[in-house]
Amino acid sequence: MEQSPMRVGRGDRDPHGLRRSLLRDAVFLRLLDSVLRGEYRRGQRLRLDTIAEDMRVSRTPVREALVSLESHQLVTVQRYVGVVITQWTVGQMTERLRIARALVVDPPVGGTGHDDRFDPAWLRECWTEAGAFVELAAWFLRRRGASVSADWMLSQRTVLDTFFTDDVALANGIDAVVDRARRLDLVDQAVRAAERDALDDCAVVLLELAAALIALPDRFRVAVAS
């Protein structure tokens, strides 16, 4: 593979707000990174005012960002208590991928499939192979007429994309470099199939890519044990 359609890891650009036009999106990314990296510990309680002061923003974008984090079950916002970081696990992250893989295996019966041609430019905002998987799988589901499932798929992109960046993955005991060349090759194969509008071929490769991502935590632990 000559060139990946995405950036792997963080490179020279900080994704925390520099590529997002809306302040709430920037705050969401910073909070997401802090939660997934473990800077905010599981079970830790935080005050909204404290978060806003630390980020030097008003309460409003923090409150809006917390709504998104709560929908991903990474925090709970409790009256009189504040913000509580949930007891999320690596297994719950791979569960998102398992659900996504199941949707590709058996797309829910929906309406008429969209005739959108796949555009590789959609992957430019992806940081990792996980983000690319989500974008490709969402397109596949739209083409199959499962638009609601495609919307759910896209809702997972930022969380999975952030989780599988090199430093965040490592903070969770995962070496994201393991088998990366193979995963990038699978992304290229899926892109080529999508550009041909070969849905079945694309699905086969996406399933292989999902399996490779799901296996990453175990691959790292095996390597350490040996």
Side-chain angles (χ1 to χ4, degrees):
M1 174 177 174
E2 295 181 359
Q3 184 177 4
S4 167
M6 79 218 57
R7 294 186 305 280
V8 176
R10 300 193 181 272
D12 295 329
R13 295 181 61 192
D14 183 352
H16 296 166
L18 296 184
R19 299 188 303 104
R20 307 287 179 175
S21 59
L22 298 176
L23 184 57
R24 66 170 179 267
D25 294 336
V27 172
F28 170 73
L29 285 173
R30 290 186 61 185
L31 286 173
L32 176 64
D33 186 88
S34 295
V35 170
L36 295 183
R37 192 189 296 269
E39 292 176 0
Y40 292 153
R41 301 181 306 280
R42 295 167 176 83
Q44 182 177 355
R45 297 182 180 183
L46 302 166
R47 294 180 61 251
L48 189 149
D49 286 340
T50 301
I51 298 173
E53 290 172 6
D54 289 345
M55 295 190 176
R56 298 182 181 179
V57 298
S58 69
R59 291 165 51 97
T60 298
V62 174
R63 187 181 298 110
E64 292 171 344
L66 289 171
V67 170
S68 296
L69 281 173
E70 192 167 29
S71 71
H72 286 292
Q73 300 181 20
L74 293 172
V75 304
T76 59
V77 181
Q78 303 175 11
R79 191 176 184 183
Y80 306 124
V81 174
V83 181
V84 180
I85 309 302
T86 63
Q87 299 291 338
W88 65 272
T89 65
V90 172
Q92 290 171 350
M93 290 295 153
T94 55
E95 181 184 0
R96 297 170 193 264
L97 287 167
R98 293 181 191 278
I99 294 171
R101 182 178 62 179
L103 289 173
V104 174
V105 170
D106 187 18
V109 177
T112 303
H114 291 263
D115 57 0
D116 297 345
R117 302 292 296 185
F118 181 77
D119 185 354
W122 294 338
L123 302 188
R124 290 176 183 168
E125 295 299 300
C126 297
W127 303 320
T128 69
E129 310 92 75
F133 165 78
V134 169
E135 286 286 354
L136 283 154
W139 169 82
F140 169 81
L141 290 171
R142 285 196 302 271
R143 291 287 285 112
R144 290 296 194 196
S147 58
V148 173
S149 296
D151 288 343
W152 176 86
M153 187 78 70
L154 284 176
S155 75
Q156 303 301 307
R157 202 207 84 182
T158 304
V159 172
L160 290 172
D161 216 5
T162 301
F163 183 76
F164 281 100
T165 52
D166 291 352
D167 49 353
V168 175
L170 192 60
N172 288 279
I174 301 171
D175 187 351
V177 177
V178 173
D179 212 22
R180 169 166 289 153
R182 173 171 169 265
R183 295 195 306 274
L184 290 176
D185 182 61
L186 289 172
V187 171
D188 275 352
Q189 291 181 44
V191 168
R192 291 195 295 270
E195 288 179 314
R196 299 195 311 271
D197 211 34
L199 297 184
D200 290 342
D201 291 346
C202 184
V204 168
V205 180
L206 286 176
L207 294 178
E208 190 174 353
L209 177 57
L213 289 165
I214 290 168
L216 258 179
D218 290 334
R219 288 288 302 275
F220 181 77
R221 284 197 291 270
V222 169
V224 171
S226 61

